[in-house]
Amino acid sequence: MAATVAAEHVAEAMDAFVETGAFEPEEVRPLLKAGQAAGLAVTVHADQLHDVNGAAFAARLGARSADHLANVSALGVRAVPRPGHTVRSEEQTSDPQ
């Protein structure tokens, strides 16, 4: 499906909600990888309610951003900031990109 979405220019990115009680990284990894393979950017909504190492997962995946990091750990924060990546918390409302 991601290949069709990319080929028909229906979207430029896809995102996933990685959180306790929602989706685990192992559940969304194949979908996000398929999106990347199709040329879609990836964003991860993570660590919003609990620290589930979602920011680090997003960094390992090469996601464009990790968003809603209200409960991100210091390790998660250190994992993400590098060129081309953004750490966005609940307090930030605008995207500098």
Side-chain angles (χ1 to χ4, degrees), residues 2-23:
T4 302
V5 168
E8 294 183 11
H9 306 286
V10 176
E12 66 177 39
M14 62 188 305
D15 61 52
F17 183 49
V18 177
E19 182 60 71
T20 301
F23 298 100

Side-chain angles (χ1 to χ4, degrees), residues 5 19-20 27 36 38 46 48 56 58-59 67 69 76 79 89 94:
V5 168
E19 182 60 71
T20 301
E27 293 176 284
Q36 287 176 318
Q48 183 173 4
D67 304 327
L69 303 174
S89 72
S94 64

Side-chain angles (χ1 to χ4, degrees), residues 35-78:
Q36 287 176 318
L40 298 173
V42 168
T43 62
V44 179
H45 299 260
D47 302 333
Q48 183 173 4
L49 305 174
H50 307 93
D51 177 16
V52 295
N53 296 314
F57 167 70
R60 286 191 305 275
L61 194 63
R64 175 169 64 183
S65 68
D67 304 327
H68 308 292
L69 303 174
N71 288 290
V72 66
S73 68
L75 180 63
V77 170
R78 286 192 303 273

Side-chain angles (χ1 to χ4, degrees), residues 26-43:
E26 297 75 28
E27 293 176 284
V28 300
R29 184 187 323 271
L31 301 171
L32 297 177
K33 287 284 200 182
Q36 287 176 318
L40 298 173
V42 168
T43 62

Side-chain angles (χ1 to χ4, degrees), residues 69-95:
L69 303 174
N71 288 290
V72 66
S73 68
L75 180 63
V77 170
R78 286 192 303 273
V80 175
R82 61 182 195 245
H85 292 77
T86 302
V87 175
R88 208 173 306 143
S89 72
E90 289 296 296
E91 291 78 32
Q92 295 172 309
T93 57
S94 64
D95 185 359

